[in-house]
Amino acid sequence: MSKRRSVRLLERKVLIKIPEKDDSDDSVVLGPKQLQIHGPIKMAPSNYVDHGAWISFQETWKSISTVKCVKPSSFKCKKITSYANKLQKLTLKEKAVKRTILGSVSSIAIHPSETRTLVAAGDCNGNIGLWDLKRRSADIYVFPVHSRRTRIVAFSPSDPQYLLSLGYEGTIRCGDISYSVFDEIYHAEGYLTSFDFLSVDGSVLLASHYDSKLSVVDRRTRNKTSNVHGCLDSKFVYSVSVHPLQRDLCVVAGSR
């Protein structure tokens, strides 16, 4: 029977791997904020990519955004049973599975086009990946847009050539395919967790802060901050959703 020995006496160092904190967990202890990058960021893929294919991808995005897209309010479900039956018949093909970004996916959006399937995904490292499922090359275009987790990505409901994203570090950006840029439209003093479109055309947003504030953001103005705030009686807020028909109403999810 071997005798137990003290690691300290043997002068050995014990390395314990501590799992990283997930900033989506309500038990996370917030550390120092990472540096916010202000101003526009060029829409240039950070991963290796065929330049000609990227130009073609941009043209596709522009062309499908000029076509009138179906608005969510125009969808009508006559029978929930028939809709459920269709969902049960859905299949997932291997060619429709792709690793779009470097880190774990934290947010996702799909372009409202009825002719192409264009997907945008955000990851825990602040990247945004773009993927056109119908393109033969199947290239994924990755962009480092935020310095922390990309919590929300969403195409503008009225003009889907704009892709909006929110980073946990406290910035909201608008990707404009016409000018190939991710422009900064808002930066907060604290952490941001979510946003939704407050106006029908998507020009005004309602953003939620970790410290239980809501801010109205108008991306048509040059001011990168918001003068319209509301405080909630909650420890923190994780997400906000605006009623699609009665836009003076919203729901929030937060502490308990």
Side-chain angles (χ1 to χ4, degrees):
M1 187 173 179
S2 60
K3 184 183 296 185
R4 297 180 61 183
R5 298 184 179 183
S6 169
V7 175
R8 179 179 58 82
L9 295 176
L10 291 174
E11 295 183 351
R12 294 178 182 176
K13 294 182 180 180
V14 179
L15 300 179
I16 303 175
K17 187 176 180 181
I18 302 176
E20 295 182 359
K21 290 281 187 179
D22 186 347
D23 55 28
S24 66
D25 183 11
D26 59 4
S27 63
V28 66
V29 178
L30 299 179
K33 286 187 62 177
Q34 295 189 18
L35 180 65
Q36 292 182 356
I37 302 175
H38 298 300
I41 297 176
K42 186 178 180 181
M43 191 180 288
S46 60
N47 57 328
Y48 172 79
V49 66
D50 182 352
H51 182 69
W54 166 236
I55 296 298
S56 178
F57 180 92
Q58 289 178 293
E59 294 302 321
T60 299
W61 186 356
K62 293 177 186 177
S63 63
I64 63 176
S65 298
T66 57
V67 180
K68 187 176 181 181
C69 301
V70 179
K71 296 182 179 180
S73 58
S74 64
F75 286 102
K76 293 183 179 179
C77 182
K78 295 181 179 180
K79 291 184 178 180
I80 190 66
T81 54
S82 61
Y83 182 70
N85 291 333
K86 290 181 179 180
L87 286 178
Q88 292 177 356
K89 295 178 181 179
L90 290 177
T91 58
L92 180 62
K93 298 180 181 179
E94 185 177 356
K95 64 179 182 179
V97 179
K98 191 80 171 180
R99 185 176 181 85
T100 56
I101 37 186
L102 303 177
S104 57
V105 176
S106 56
S107 54
I108 195 166
I110 187 168
H111 191 283
S113 170
E114 294 183 308
T115 59
R116 308 284 293 200
T117 306
L118 180 64
V119 175
D123 73 359
C124 60
N125 299 319
N127 299 306
I128 292 179
L130 297 175
W131 179 28
D132 182 359
L133 273 72
K134 290 190 176 182
R135 189 168 292 275
R136 291 183 179 180
S137 62
D139 288 329
I140 303 298
Y141 306 101
V142 181
F143 309 89
V145 179
H146 298 281
S147 61
R148 293 289 296 271
R149 178 187 298 270
T150 306
R151 292 190 61 92
I152 299 289
V153 288
F155 289 95
S156 170
S158 63
D159 193 352
Q161 70 172 332
Y162 299 115
L163 176 66
L164 289 93
S165 63
L166 178 145
Y168 189 67
E169 78 283 352
T171 60
I172 300 178
R173 292 188 174 272
C174 178
D176 186 348
I177 191 60
S178 297
Y179 292 94
S180 296
V181 66
F182 290 98
D183 200 7
E184 180 189 27
I185 61 174
Y186 178 67
H187 63 260
E189 294 298 328
Y191 294 93
L192 292 176
T193 56
S194 177
F195 78 81
D196 198 4
F197 297 105
L198 189 57
S199 62
V200 177
D201 62 358
S203 60
V204 182
L205 314 176
L206 185 63
S208 62
H209 300 244
Y210 187 86
D211 58 357
S212 299
K213 287 194 304 184
L214 295 178
S215 295
V216 176
V217 179
D218 191 339
R219 62 187 184 92
R220 298 168 297 183
T221 64
R222 295 183 179 181
N223 186 15
K224 306 300 181 184
T225 59
S226 173
N227 295 323
V228 183
H229 301 288
C231 296
L232 303 175
D233 185 16
S234 178
K235 187 178 179 180
F236 41 77
V237 174
Y238 278 148
S239 63
V240 60
S241 179
V242 177
H243 195 292
L245 300 179
Q246 296 175 272
R247 294 185 176 271
D248 57 333
L249 301 177
C250 73
V251 293
V252 296
S255 175
R256 290 172 169 76

